[in-house]
Amino acid sequence: SGMQRRHHPSAFIGMSPPRAISIPAAFATPTMVPGRTIPCFTTSTYLQNVASSGKTIYRGLASTTQNNHQERRRRGAMHSSQRTKSPLEASPLMAIPDDESSTAPTITRYTINDSTCPPTDPDILTKLVQKHIRTLPKYWKFNPIANHTAAAFEEALEFVIQYGELSGDSRTKVILDSGCGTGRSSFLLGEKYPDCVVIGVDQSLSRLSRNKAYNQHENDDHQQTMPSDHAQTNNNVLLLRAELSDFWKCCLSSSRWQNHVHVFQHYLLYPNPYPKKSRLKSRFYAHPAFPLLMMTMMMDNGDDHAHNDNNENTKNSMIDGHDEKMVVRSNWKGYLEEFRLAVGVWGESGATFEEFRAMVGDDGEKCDEWQPRASPVEWETMGPGLLDCDGDGVGLTNFEVKYIECGEPIYELSVSKS
């Protein structure tokens, strides 16, 4: 074979004499004879690793073998925290000094920290966010909304309006669960806030299909009847398949949504961290759609709760206005710290929803760049702080359940208008 020709003794001319090793019977394959002596360029450290990891010796003939290349490519595609290391390689990395063992966070196979993923230069991130704010009209104009997202948004809007008619509210409080995955978090939030509509949005049909409620909803041809006791039967939750940036754009461009909806909270639970430096612009806070995300919390005109004063049932179950916020959770604290920095840059820009809508107009073609003229908007941020998961708390998402079980630290960032 090609590999055998590559390691024929004639290929080693001019190199140091190879070490002769004998193939144990346990490692023999149909093409190898036990006890036969073959040349092998390897070190004693590699032999120790082979013995400890159970790998066959013939895979270590040379660093240029096809199998070794495949192994390196496989390991290179994985995050360093997910790689399986031999005991000789892993033991020094996992060691925690005695004087820090009581305060150092738990390290698990899911841990992402600044040692494995260095933080982004604050100046680079600041300039990137400022660029996305300045070029937002271009992003708005040249990124048309996907058809399936537009249809999902219309369905969500009708769902909210119907809910408001049954509850007697002219503007319905809505919780957006962006990137809801299987929808576990959406239904748990629906139980926690029975007076709100929870809309879970995810782009993955395979993840949503794991939820029986979504499958039943799809089988009913998107015709869902909402009984009057929706708060008790958890029918205040709607799961949708849509592109997040397109869905946010629909919210910002629809006057009906703004007239009937008050976005009470917005959840981003364990978004894809994209830890590689080359994928920085794929993270929410460095993505061109980040300004759209922030403006989903800026569509109110100051009469958020005025419509509730004449409704006795809603008045009795009123939720404290201080709970109006955006909640971001992750097991990577550095991700949330950079998210907080991006929020600060957005606030300093003075960008407002009203100015942006007036600038782009209904057709979104008035201009190509945006220079906000309003005064800076202050945003209050809390965190990122470590969540206490030692109690009987229920994990909102499947990721959170897994992290709680293995002791992985979980951090939360809360963002609200001052």
Side-chain angles (χ1 to χ4, degrees):
S1 68
M3 187 174 70
Q4 289 173 338
R5 288 195 301 271
R6 198 158 46 238
H7 302 294
H8 191 272
S10 61
F12 302 132
I13 297 176
M15 301 177 65
S16 301
R19 178 182 299 128
I21 63 173
S22 180
I23 305 173
F27 291 161
T29 66
T31 60
M32 303 176 69
V33 180
R36 179 181 174 184
T37 301
I38 61 174
C40 179
F41 284 94
T42 182
T43 63
S44 59
T45 302
Y46 178 79
L47 292 176
Q48 293 176 11
N49 289 345
V50 167
S52 62
S53 62
K55 295 181 181 178
T56 55
I57 292 181
Y58 73 87
R59 291 192 63 178
L61 289 174
S63 61
T64 57
T65 64
Q66 181 179 1
N67 288 332
N68 246 345
H69 277 307
Q70 292 176 351
E71 176 71 10
R72 290 187 176 189
R73 284 195 295 268
R74 184 188 70 81
R75 289 169 60 86
M78 298 171 63
H79 187 265
S80 59
S81 63
Q82 297 174 317
R83 298 174 185 166
T84 303
K85 303 178 177 65
S86 66
L88 293 176
E89 183 183 3
S91 54
L93 297 177
M94 301 298 293
I96 299 177
D98 294 337
D99 56 344
E100 298 180 4
S101 59
S102 58
T103 58
T106 304
I107 304 297
T108 72
R109 62 186 296 246
Y110 306 109
T111 299
I112 305 178
N113 50 39
D114 292 344
S115 62
T116 56
C117 302
T120 307
D121 187 312
D123 293 336
I124 294 178
L125 181 57
T126 298
K127 293 179 181 179
L128 184 60
V129 176
Q130 291 173 343
K131 175 186 174 182
H132 292 333
I133 296 173
R134 186 176 63 255
T135 60
L136 182 60
K138 289 184 179 180
Y139 182 81
W140 182 279
K141 177 180 178 181
F142 296 108
N143 289 272
I145 298 173
N147 292 334
H148 73 280
T149 300
F153 173 76
E154 291 299 326
E155 181 183 354
L157 183 57
E158 294 301 325
F159 185 90
V160 172
I161 293 176
Q162 184 181 2
Y163 186 99
E165 292 175 351
L166 292 174
S167 60
D169 293 336
S170 60
R171 293 186 68 197
T172 303
K173 289 177 290 185
V174 170
I175 296 177
L176 293 178
D177 186 10
S178 295
C180 65
T182 62
R184 172 188 172 92
S185 55
S186 301
F187 280 91
L188 289 175
L189 289 171
E191 294 177 359
K192 182 177 181 181
Y193 300 104
D195 295 327
C196 298
V197 170
V198 180
I199 300 178
V201 183
D202 200 278
Q203 66 175 353
S204 173
L205 180 62
S206 62
R207 286 192 289 265
L208 289 170
S209 299
R210 299 176 194 173
N211 193 302
K212 295 181 179 179
Y214 179 80
N215 291 329
Q216 181 180 1
H217 177 66
E218 289 292 303
N219 295 334
D220 292 341
D221 265 345
H222 299 280
Q223 300 297 323
Q224 182 166 336
T225 303
M226 193 182 324
S228 58
D229 58 343
H230 52 271
Q232 284 72 30
T233 59
N234 203 221
N235 283 337
N236 60 331
V237 179
L238 179 66
L239 300 182
L240 298 171
R241 175 179 173 264
E243 300 293 332
L244 287 180
S245 58
D246 287 355
F247 191 86
W248 300 338
K249 187 176 178 180
C250 288
C251 297
L252 298 173
S253 59
S254 172
S255 58
R256 293 183 67 202
W257 174 272
Q258 296 154 28
N259 292 333
H260 291 87
V261 172
H262 162 57
V263 178
F264 173 64
Q265 290 183 355
H266 197 157
Y267 280 81
L268 295 171
L269 300 176
Y270 307 96
N272 191 332
Y274 294 103
K276 292 185 178 180
K277 185 179 180 179
S278 59
R279 300 299 302 273
L280 171 63
K281 294 183 181 179
S282 298
R283 304 173 193 172
F284 275 127
Y285 56 82
H287 192 274
F290 176 71
L292 304 181
L293 168 62
M294 296 303 299
M295 283 192 288
T296 60
M297 303 294 295
M298 302 177 69
M299 291 184 290
D300 300 317
N301 299 320
D303 56 345
D304 302 344
H305 304 295
H307 62 282
N308 289 310
D309 295 338
N310 297 326
N311 188 285
E312 190 65 25
N313 293 333
T314 308
K315 187 174 181 180
N316 292 336
S317 59
M318 192 69 176
I319 302 176
D320 189 358
H322 295 291
D323 287 340
E324 298 179 7
K325 58 187 176 182
M326 180 187 300
V327 177
V328 190
R329 288 187 184 180
S330 176
N331 65 319
W332 182 13
K333 187 177 182 181
Y335 182 97
L336 300 182
E337 290 175 343
E338 294 184 4
F339 197 107
R340 181 180 60 184
L341 174 61
V343 171
V345 176
W346 167 258
E348 292 174 358
S349 70
T352 63
F353 169 70
E354 291 78 8
E355 180 184 348
F356 176 74
R357 288 294 295 133
M359 180 197 63
V360 297
D362 295 333
D363 55 4
E365 296 187 358
K366 286 190 175 181
C367 62
D368 291 334
E369 286 202 0
W370 182 23
Q371 297 291 342
R373 296 178 175 84
S375 58
V377 180
E378 293 186 5
W379 290 80
E380 182 180 353
T381 58
M382 296 182 61
L386 184 64
L387 290 182
D388 184 11
C389 301
D390 295 334
D392 297 330
V394 178
L396 281 179
T397 70
N398 295 333
F399 278 112
E400 190 161 289
V401 172
K402 179 170 59 178
Y403 293 156
I404 293 175
E405 289 178 352
C406 69
E408 171 73 6
I410 299 173
Y411 302 92
E412 179 179 287
L413 174 67
S414 175
V415 179
S416 59
K417 293 181 293 184
S418 298

